[in-house]
Tab-separated table of all heavy atoms in Angstrom:
chain	number	residue	atom	x	y	z
A	45	ALA	N	4.482	-11.660	-14.027
A	45	ALA	CA	5.157	-12.963	-14.052
A	45	ALA	C	6.391	-13.024	-13.195
A	45	ALA	O	6.721	-14.044	-12.561
A	45	ALA	CB	5.448	-13.383	-15.481
A	46	ALA	N	7.136	-11.904	-13.195
A	46	ALA	CA	8.394	-11.922	-12.404
A	46	ALA	C	8.200	-11.758	-10.959
A	46	ALA	O	9.099	-12.122	-10.176
A	46	ALA	CB	9.260	-10.762	-12.940
A	47	THR	N	7.031	-11.292	-10.513
A	47	THR	CA	6.843	-11.002	-9.070
A	47	THR	C	5.762	-11.833	-8.444
A	47	THR	O	5.472	-11.779	-7.228
A	47	THR	CB	6.478	-9.503	-8.881
A	47	THR	OG1	5.324	-9.198	-9.604
A	47	THR	CG2	7.618	-8.642	-9.358
A	48	MET	N	5.061	-12.668	-9.210
A	48	MET	CA	3.885	-13.373	-8.658
A	48	MET	C	4.160	-14.305	-7.501
A	48	MET	O	3.294	-14.610	-6.720
A	48	MET	CB	3.083	-14.041	-9.742
A	48	MET	CG	3.826	-15.198	-10.426
A	48	MET	SD	2.869	-15.867	-11.829
A	48	MET	CE	1.281	-16.306	-11.003
A	49	ALA	N	5.438	-14.814	-7.412
A	49	ALA	CA	5.733	-15.719	-6.322
A	49	ALA	C	6.108	-14.961	-5.008
A	49	ALA	O	6.215	-15.580	-3.967
A	49	ALA	CB	6.936	-16.594	-6.704
A	50	ARG	N	6.210	-13.669	-5.046
A	50	ARG	CA	6.570	-12.863	-3.903
A	50	ARG	C	5.369	-12.668	-2.952
A	50	ARG	O	4.382	-12.142	-3.390
A	50	ARG	CB	7.127	-11.508	-4.379
A	50	ARG	CG	7.570	-10.600	-3.260
A	50	ARG	CD	8.007	-9.234	-3.839
A	50	ARG	NE	6.926	-8.634	-4.619
A	50	ARG	CZ	7.127	-7.639	-5.495
A	50	ARG	NH1	8.343	-7.180	-5.737
A	50	ARG	NH2	6.104	-7.131	-6.191
A	51	PRO	N	5.499	-12.995	-1.688
A	51	PRO	CA	4.394	-12.744	-0.726
A	51	PRO	C	4.123	-11.267	-0.581
A	51	PRO	O	5.055	-10.448	-0.622
A	51	PRO	CB	4.887	-13.375	0.547
A	51	PRO	CG	5.993	-14.269	0.193
A	51	PRO	CD	6.622	-13.690	-1.052
A	52	ILE	N	2.892	-10.881	-0.393
A	52	ILE	CA	2.531	-9.451	-0.149
A	52	ILE	C	3.240	-8.937	1.074
A	52	ILE	O	3.705	-7.820	1.108
A	52	ILE	CB	1.020	-9.303	-0.047
A	52	ILE	CG1	0.320	-9.630	-1.430
A	52	ILE	CG2	0.656	-7.847	0.308
A	52	ILE	CD1	-1.154	-9.655	-1.366
A	53	ALA	N	3.348	-9.779	2.132
A	53	ALA	CA	3.951	-9.353	3.361
A	53	ALA	C	5.402	-8.926	3.125
A	53	ALA	O	5.897	-8.038	3.806
A	53	ALA	CB	3.900	-10.479	4.381
A	54	ALA	N	6.041	-9.509	2.138
A	54	ALA	CA	7.421	-9.164	1.891
A	54	ALA	C	7.532	-7.695	1.405
A	54	ALA	O	8.561	-7.050	1.569
A	54	ALA	CB	8.013	-10.091	0.823
A	55	LEU	N	6.522	-7.226	0.725
A	55	LEU	CA	6.581	-5.856	0.289
A	55	LEU	C	6.635	-4.852	1.485
A	55	LEU	O	7.271	-3.788	1.398
A	55	LEU	CB	5.277	-5.523	-0.522
A	55	LEU	CG	5.183	-6.269	-1.871
A	55	LEU	CD1	3.804	-6.020	-2.495
A	55	LEU	CD2	6.287	-5.833	-2.808
A	56	TYR	N	6.010	-5.232	2.606
A	56	TYR	CA	6.127	-4.367	3.777
A	56	TYR	C	7.506	-4.517	4.377
A	56	TYR	O	8.067	-3.498	4.915
A	56	TYR	CB	5.066	-4.789	4.816
A	56	TYR	CG	3.664	-4.295	4.457
A	56	TYR	CD1	2.814	-5.027	3.652
A	56	TYR	CD2	3.249	-3.080	4.971
A	56	TYR	CE1	1.561	-4.576	3.384
A	56	TYR	CE2	1.982	-2.597	4.665
A	56	TYR	CZ	1.118	-3.324	3.867
A	56	TYR	OH	-0.127	-2.897	3.536
A	57	ASP	N	8.063	-5.693	4.378
A	57	ASP	CA	9.419	-5.875	4.905
A	57	ASP	C	10.425	-5.137	4.144
A	57	ASP	O	11.383	-4.591	4.714
A	57	ASP	CB	9.791	-7.377	4.923
A	57	ASP	CG	8.809	-8.209	5.767
A	57	ASP	OD1	8.196	-7.612	6.708
A	57	ASP	OD2	8.642	-9.422	5.522
A	58	ASP	N	10.250	-5.016	2.802
A	58	ASP	CA	11.242	-4.356	1.929
A	58	ASP	C	11.020	-2.838	1.854
A	58	ASP	O	11.912	-2.126	1.361
A	58	ASP	CB	11.201	-4.940	0.556
A	58	ASP	CG	11.577	-6.427	0.569
A	58	ASP	OD1	12.222	-6.903	1.493
A	58	ASP	OD2	11.201	-7.126	-0.430
A	59	ASP	N	9.869	-2.384	2.261
A	59	ASP	CA	9.499	-0.967	2.072
A	59	ASP	C	8.817	-0.466	3.315
A	59	ASP	O	7.591	-0.499	3.469
A	59	ASP	CB	8.593	-0.822	0.862
A	59	ASP	CG	8.340	0.647	0.446
A	59	ASP	OD1	8.780	1.551	1.212
A	59	ASP	OD2	7.754	0.869	-0.584
A	60	PRO	N	9.601	0.132	4.273
A	60	PRO	CA	8.989	0.626	5.528
A	60	PRO	C	7.965	1.748	5.294
A	60	PRO	O	7.131	1.981	6.156
A	60	PRO	CB	10.211	1.146	6.295
A	60	PRO	CG	11.406	0.535	5.658
A	60	PRO	CD	11.046	0.296	4.215
A	61	ASP	N	8.062	2.453	4.227
A	61	ASP	CA	7.117	3.518	3.876
A	61	ASP	C	5.837	3.078	3.198
A	61	ASP	O	5.018	3.901	2.856
A	61	ASP	CB	7.827	4.576	2.978
A	61	ASP	CG	8.987	5.267	3.646
A	61	ASP	OD1	8.961	5.348	4.923
A	61	ASP	OD2	9.938	5.622	2.985
A	62	ARG	N	5.696	1.757	3.034
A	62	ARG	CA	4.534	1.257	2.245
A	62	ARG	C	3.213	1.713	2.768
A	62	ARG	O	2.319	2.082	2.004
A	62	ARG	CB	4.636	-0.242	2.146
A	62	ARG	CG	3.554	-0.830	1.211
A	62	ARG	CD	3.789	-2.279	0.915
A	62	ARG	NE	2.744	-2.856	0.022
A	62	ARG	CZ	2.737	-2.764	-1.283
A	62	ARG	NH1	3.759	-2.170	-1.925
A	62	ARG	NH2	1.760	-3.253	-2.000
A	63	PRO	N	2.949	1.715	4.125
A	63	PRO	CA	1.610	2.105	4.593
A	63	PRO	C	1.201	3.493	4.108
A	63	PRO	O	0.026	3.722	3.748
A	63	PRO	CB	1.744	2.039	6.104
A	63	PRO	CG	2.813	0.994	6.314
A	63	PRO	CD	3.774	1.208	5.224
A	64	ASP	N	2.099	4.440	4.068
A	64	ASP	CA	1.778	5.783	3.623
A	64	ASP	C	1.877	5.869	2.092
A	64	ASP	O	1.064	6.575	1.431
A	64	ASP	CB	2.674	6.789	4.261
A	64	ASP	CG	2.409	6.952	5.740
A	64	ASP	OD1	1.240	6.810	6.149
A	64	ASP	OD2	3.324	7.278	6.490
A	65	ALA	N	2.851	5.195	1.519
A	65	ALA	CA	3.085	5.331	0.059
A	65	ALA	C	2.002	4.661	-0.715
A	65	ALA	O	1.758	5.051	-1.913
A	65	ALA	CB	4.440	4.698	-0.324
A	66	PHE	N	1.316	3.670	-0.150
A	66	PHE	CA	0.228	2.956	-0.843
A	66	PHE	C	-1.104	3.202	-0.217
A	66	PHE	O	-1.922	2.312	0.069
A	66	PHE	CB	0.602	1.424	-0.940
A	66	PHE	CG	1.619	1.154	-1.951
A	66	PHE	CD1	2.943	1.406	-1.695
A	66	PHE	CD2	1.296	0.705	-3.180
A	66	PHE	CE1	3.956	1.147	-2.618
A	66	PHE	CE2	2.296	0.415	-4.142
A	66	PHE	CZ	3.584	0.648	-3.864
A	67	SER	N	-1.360	4.467	0.092
A	67	SER	CA	-2.645	4.928	0.543
A	67	SER	C	-2.878	6.317	0.001
A	67	SER	O	-1.990	7.014	-0.392
A	67	SER	CB	-2.756	4.898	2.070
A	67	SER	OG	-1.843	5.822	2.620
A	68	ALA	N	-4.156	6.692	-0.080
A	68	ALA	CA	-4.529	8.033	-0.532
A	68	ALA	C	-5.772	8.431	0.181
A	68	ALA	O	-6.581	7.579	0.572
A	68	ALA	CB	-4.707	8.070	-2.084
A	69	SER	N	-5.999	9.730	0.409
A	69	SER	CA	-7.088	10.207	1.173
A	69	SER	C	-7.759	11.377	0.479
A	69	SER	O	-7.152	12.138	-0.230
A	69	SER	CB	-6.658	10.612	2.568
A	69	SER	OG	-6.131	9.555	3.320
A	70	LEU	N	-9.054	11.558	0.842
A	70	LEU	CA	-9.870	12.735	0.419
A	70	LEU	C	-10.398	13.312	1.711
A	70	LEU	O	-11.279	12.648	2.311
A	70	LEU	CB	-10.954	12.353	-0.571
A	70	LEU	CG	-11.966	13.442	-0.886
A	70	LEU	CD1	-11.279	14.651	-1.546
A	70	LEU	CD2	-13.081	12.908	-1.706
A	71	PRO	N	-9.994	14.514	2.099
A	71	PRO	CA	-10.602	15.117	3.298
A	71	PRO	C	-12.090	15.354	3.106
A	71	PRO	O	-12.548	15.708	1.985
A	71	PRO	CB	-9.823	16.445	3.405
A	71	PRO	CG	-8.585	16.263	2.683
A	71	PRO	CD	-8.922	15.346	1.567
A	72	THR	N	-12.876	15.150	4.111
A	72	THR	CA	-14.313	15.360	4.110
A	72	THR	C	-14.739	16.175	5.282
A	72	THR	O	-13.882	16.359	6.234
A	72	THR	CB	-15.125	14.073	4.073
A	72	THR	OG1	-14.981	13.403	5.322
A	72	THR	CG2	-14.622	13.097	2.991
A	73	GLU	N	-15.967	16.589	5.323
A	73	GLU	CA	-16.454	17.393	6.425
A	73	GLU	C	-16.350	16.603	7.777
A	73	GLU	O	-16.125	17.166	8.799
A	73	GLU	CB	-17.879	17.770	6.211
A	73	GLU	CG	-18.453	18.794	7.134
A	73	GLU	CD	-19.857	19.280	6.738
A	73	GLU	OE1	-19.995	19.681	5.526
A	73	GLU	OE2	-20.755	19.330	7.591
A	74	GLY	N	-16.553	15.348	7.641
A	74	GLY	CA	-16.545	14.500	8.906
A	74	GLY	C	-15.279	13.828	9.177
A	74	GLY	O	-15.163	13.001	10.150
A	75	GLY	N	-14.183	14.015	8.397
A	75	GLY	CA	-12.949	13.326	8.605
A	75	GLY	C	-12.226	13.147	7.270
A	75	GLY	O	-11.762	14.118	6.682
A	76	ALA	N	-12.186	11.953	6.782
A	76	ALA	CA	-11.557	11.689	5.499
A	76	ALA	C	-11.959	10.342	4.994
A	76	ALA	O	-12.315	9.429	5.761
A	76	ALA	CB	-10.013	11.756	5.655
A	77	LEU	N	-11.949	10.206	3.675
A	77	LEU	CA	-12.057	8.912	2.991
A	77	LEU	C	-10.614	8.410	2.726
A	77	LEU	O	-9.869	9.114	2.019
A	77	LEU	CB	-12.824	8.994	1.703
A	77	LEU	CG	-14.347	9.189	1.754
A	77	LEU	CD1	-14.884	9.488	0.426
A	77	LEU	CD2	-14.991	7.986	2.356
A	78	ARG	N	-10.273	7.272	3.228
A	78	ARG	CA	-8.931	6.795	3.065
A	78	ARG	C	-8.925	5.476	2.328
A	78	ARG	O	-9.675	4.562	2.706
A	78	ARG	CB	-8.212	6.631	4.425
A	78	ARG	CG	-6.823	6.020	4.350
A	78	ARG	CD	-6.239	5.883	5.752
A	78	ARG	NE	-4.981	5.124	5.766
A	78	ARG	CZ	-3.781	5.682	5.579
A	78	ARG	NH1	-3.711	6.989	5.396
A	78	ARG	NH2	-2.641	4.993	5.591
A	79	LEU	N	-8.126	5.395	1.260
A	79	LEU	CA	-7.958	4.155	0.492
A	79	LEU	C	-6.573	3.596	0.838
A	79	LEU	O	-5.556	4.244	0.525
A	79	LEU	CB	-8.079	4.467	-0.998
A	79	LEU	CG	-7.660	3.341	-1.946
A	79	LEU	CD1	-8.566	2.106	-1.788
A	79	LEU	CD2	-7.615	3.835	-3.394
A	80	ASP	N	-6.585	2.431	1.381
A	80	ASP	CA	-5.305	1.712	1.708
A	80	ASP	C	-5.229	0.510	0.776
A	80	ASP	O	-6.008	-0.439	0.922
A	80	ASP	CB	-5.305	1.285	3.197
A	80	ASP	CG	-4.093	0.475	3.568
A	80	ASP	OD1	-3.278	0.161	2.715
A	80	ASP	OD2	-3.914	0.197	4.763
A	81	TYR	N	-4.321	0.549	-0.134
A	81	TYR	CA	-4.130	-0.564	-1.103
A	81	TYR	C	-2.806	-1.257	-0.964
A	81	TYR	O	-2.324	-1.910	-1.894
A	81	TYR	CB	-4.425	-0.094	-2.512
A	81	TYR	CG	-3.515	0.992	-3.047
A	81	TYR	CD1	-2.457	0.678	-3.917
A	81	TYR	CD2	-3.650	2.313	-2.709
A	81	TYR	CE1	-1.625	1.655	-4.452
A	81	TYR	CE2	-2.827	3.318	-3.210
A	81	TYR	CZ	-1.809	2.957	-4.085
A	81	TYR	OH	-0.965	3.936	-4.533
A	82	GLY	N	-2.183	-1.088	0.205
A	82	GLY	CA	-0.914	-1.723	0.475
A	82	GLY	C	-0.955	-3.242	0.516
A	82	GLY	O	-0.006	-3.919	0.147
A	83	ARG	N	-2.144	-3.751	0.904
A	83	ARG	CA	-2.289	-5.247	0.994
A	83	ARG	C	-2.657	-5.854	-0.340
A	83	ARG	O	-3.581	-6.654	-0.457
A	83	ARG	CB	-3.291	-5.590	2.042
A	83	ARG	CG	-2.859	-5.247	3.484
A	83	ARG	CD	-3.971	-5.641	4.473
A	83	ARG	NE	-3.627	-5.348	5.834
A	83	ARG	CZ	-3.846	-4.186	6.497
A	83	ARG	NH1	-4.360	-3.185	5.829
A	83	ARG	NH2	-3.521	-4.029	7.741
A	84	THR	N	-1.974	-5.366	-1.402
A	84	THR	CA	-2.104	-5.973	-2.729
A	84	THR	C	-0.694	-6.321	-3.204
A	84	THR	O	0.304	-5.887	-2.579
A	84	THR	CB	-2.761	-5.028	-3.705
A	84	THR	OG1	-1.887	-3.919	-4.023
A	84	THR	CG2	-4.062	-4.450	-3.221
A	85	ALA	N	-0.546	-7.056	-4.272
A	85	ALA	CA	0.707	-7.399	-4.804
A	85	ALA	C	1.309	-6.350	-5.656
A	85	ALA	O	2.389	-6.475	-6.213
A	85	ALA	CB	0.586	-8.711	-5.572
A	86	ILE	N	0.633	-5.154	-5.719
A	86	ILE	CA	1.178	-4.076	-6.488
A	86	ILE	C	2.358	-3.428	-5.799
A	86	ILE	O	2.249	-3.024	-4.652
A	86	ILE	CB	0.072	-3.002	-6.739
A	86	ILE	CG1	-1.104	-3.654	-7.490
A	86	ILE	CG2	0.596	-1.811	-7.530
A	86	ILE	CD1	-2.328	-2.723	-7.603
A	87	ASP	N	3.523	-3.316	-6.464
A	87	ASP	CA	4.631	-2.636	-5.908
A	87	ASP	C	4.855	-1.289	-6.656
A	87	ASP	O	3.988	-0.927	-7.451
A	87	ASP	CB	5.902	-3.503	-6.010
A	87	ASP	CG	6.262	-3.919	-7.437
A	87	ASP	OD1	5.704	-3.329	-8.356
A	87	ASP	OD2	7.118	-4.840	-7.573
A	88	ARG	N	5.943	-0.593	-6.334
A	88	ARG	CA	6.085	0.737	-6.944
A	88	ARG	C	6.235	0.643	-8.457
A	88	ARG	O	5.675	1.479	-9.165
A	88	ARG	CB	7.313	1.426	-6.296
A	88	ARG	CG	7.102	1.799	-4.859
A	88	ARG	CD	8.334	2.399	-4.203
A	88	ARG	NE	8.145	2.653	-2.807
A	88	ARG	CZ	7.824	3.838	-2.274
A	88	ARG	NH1	7.640	4.897	-3.064
A	88	ARG	NH2	7.661	3.934	-0.951
């Protein structure tokens, strides 16, 4: 309720580390599976 009016883009403006902080990876034989969930309204 307190954050729902905040644009998702603002989270990137306020947190330069967001692309790495809001992603996780699993190494695989052919590379990696990468989950990028930065483009959600979830903050730290």
Side-chain angles (χ1 to χ4, degrees):
T47 59
M48 63 186 304
R50 179 184 57 197
I52 295 173
L55 293 171
Y56 283 90
D57 298 335
D58 297 339
D59 188 353
D61 296 329
R62 188 171 177 86
D64 291 329
F66 284 77
S67 65
S69 297
L70 170 64
T72 69
E73 190 174 310
L77 287 172
R78 177 181 171 87
L79 169 64
D80 178 352
Y81 61 102
R83 293 180 179 88
T84 68
I86 300 171
D87 59 13
R88 290 176 187 263

